[in-house]
Amino acid sequence: MKAGVIVFPGSNCDRDAYHALRDVLGYDTEYLWHADAPDLSQYGLIVVPGGFSYGDYLRPGAIARFAPIMDSLREYAARGGLVLGVCNGFQILCEAGLLPGALTRNLSLKFRCKPVYVRVENAETPFTCRYRHGEVLKIPIAHGDGRYVCDEATLQQLRRNGQVIFRYCSPTGELSDSWNPNGSVDHIAGVANEQFNVLGMMPHPERACELLLGSEDGRRLLRVH
Amino acid sequence: MPKAKVYITLKPSLLDAQGRVLLNALQQLGFETVQEVRVGKYLEIALQPDGDPRAQVEAMCQKLLANPVIEQYRYEIEE
């Protein structure tokens, strides 16, 4: 399978994603430069990686969403192609309107960089079908703007449709504010679009693919084919 | 030359984490009359004299400068 990793000026998890996709998952993986607008139809998965695209100027993801590659990505997603946005990638997908809601400053105002626990809330998506419903995963976060917010109507819709894919939780799967690292509404750590082919999440599954790095709970998420 | 002054703030329904910290800091400094602080962005945009600056700035805010999911904006045009 072919996988692509988009590279913006300021992306800094592109190599982590490339390593996980190529060396761990064994995909034929390529970097995709932000200023190009190639046809992506031969790809099985596109990752929008973490980092600080365009220095997070104005708002995280606000400038990246106008990059030429985003036109290709929109077309690819509209045809059902699988898109995973991690951290800054999640912020970009929200800014681009490919996912609902937005990411705001962490409630603590601190940059949080540590392993967290997330619960699989919907195990019937292309990204989570290798997990059990309710399974608890240990995956690292590294962000300053990860507090997911959306209006009440959107939140109801997300819950109703099963678009909340991950929630922050305790090691045993309980939801509480003390295990929510950024103050996200309803403990949301990851959401999908209505078609479930676009997933955005603040935790970094590409950094949790090898036991040597502390966890391999993220590996099954990347095994999309 | 027209100049636009654009003010962008989080929607009132959203908790402003920075504003909350500043509120506490100001109260600790003895500014006990402070009730709320909201942090925002202020932009100055110089425009060419021709065209409709108000319509242009409105479009800029909608397309890029503000995220309508979380932010509200207002602006003034100085001739």
Side-chain angles (χ1 to χ4, degrees):
Chain A
M1 189 192 87
K2 264 176 91 75
V5 179
I6 297 180
V7 183
F8 295 100
S11 293
N12 66 10
C13 301
D14 44 343
R15 293 189 179 213
D16 301 40
Y18 185 88
H19 166 69
L21 294 171
R22 190 190 64 172
D23 303 327
V24 180
L25 277 301
Y27 299 150
D28 173 15
T29 306
E30 284 179 18
Y31 289 118
L32 299 164
W33 187 236
H34 69 105
D36 297 332
D39 172 24
L40 299 175
S41 54
Q42 76 273 32
Y43 288 87
L45 170 67
I46 302 293
V47 173
V48 190
F52 298 86
S53 59
Y54 301 90
D56 275 357
Y57 291 168
L58 194 63
R59 299 178 302 276
I63 313 290
R65 86 174 217 252
F66 295 106
I69 192 77
M70 294 304 288
D71 292 331
S72 298
L73 191 71
R74 266 195 200 85
E75 197 179 317
Y76 172 81
R79 286 191 196 153
L82 298 183
V83 179
L84 171 65
V86 174
C87 199
N88 189 222
F90 185 13
Q91 296 162 339
I92 293 168
L93 294 177
C94 286
E95 281 281 340
L98 287 165
L99 289 173
L103 284 311
T104 59
R105 186 66 58 88
N106 290 352
L107 212 49
S108 64
L109 297 181
K110 294 189 175 78
F111 189 95
R112 296 288 191 194
C113 184
K114 61 177 183 180
V116 299
Y117 298 94
V118 295
R119 200 172 73 184
V120 178
E121 303 291 301
N122 180 346
E124 294 173 13
T125 78
F127 300 98
T128 53
C129 57
R130 286 179 169 78
Y131 299 100
R132 293 186 316 279
H133 180 83
E135 188 171 345
V136 176
L137 317 178
K138 183 180 157 195
I139 302 182
I141 55 165
H143 62 250
D145 294 82
R147 175 165 54 113
Y148 183 80
V149 296
C150 62
D151 61 37
E152 188 56 33
T154 305
L155 183 60
Q156 295 300 336
Q157 189 190 336
L158 292 177
R159 287 176 183 153
R160 202 167 46 241
N161 297 345
Q163 288 172 257
V164 178
I165 309 301
F166 296 112
R167 282 195 172 93
Y168 299 108
C169 65
S170 75
T172 48
E174 283 92 32
L175 305 178
S176 80
D177 288 345
S178 56
W179 291 99
N180 180 340
N182 49 36
S184 286
V185 63
D186 205 16
H187 310 289
I188 289 174
V191 297
N193 64 348
E194 281 184 71
Q195 294 75 33
F196 298 104
N197 66 311
V198 179
L199 169 65
M201 59 193 296
M202 289 313 293
H204 288 263
E206 80 281 8
R207 293 186 187 169
C209 288
E210 293 152 290
L211 276 180
L212 185 65
L213 298 179
S215 169
E216 53 182 7
D217 287 349
R219 192 193 292 184
R220 280 172 284 164
L221 193 152
L222 300 176
R223 193 171 303 259
V224 293
H225 283 267
Chain B
M1 185 180 285
K3 187 162 80 177
K5 295 182 169 180
V6 184
Y7 305 85
I8 301 165
T9 49
L10 284 175
K11 285 182 176 176
S13 57
L14 276 174
L15 194 156
D16 182 342
Q18 291 184 86
R20 196 179 59 171
V21 170
L22 291 176
L23 169 68
N24 289 340
L26 287 170
Q27 287 181 338
Q28 280 177 20
L29 285 170
F31 297 102
E32 286 155 12
T33 56
V34 180
Q35 295 298 298
E36 188 185 16
V37 181
R38 307 286 293 177
V39 178
K41 299 181 185 116
Y42 168 65
L43 296 85
E44 291 183 350
I45 302 172
L47 294 155
Q48 284 181 358
D50 47 338
D52 180 351
R54 193 157 285 278
Q56 288 177 34
V57 173
E58 176 67 30
M60 290 178 205
C61 289
Q62 290 186 12
K63 276 192 166 172
L64 173 65
L65 301 180
N67 179 345
V69 177
I70 50 172
E71 293 172 324
Q72 59 186 16
Y73 57 87
R74 63 184 175 84
Y75 46 82
E76 303 152 5
I77 312 284
E78 288 183 356
E79 296 301 326

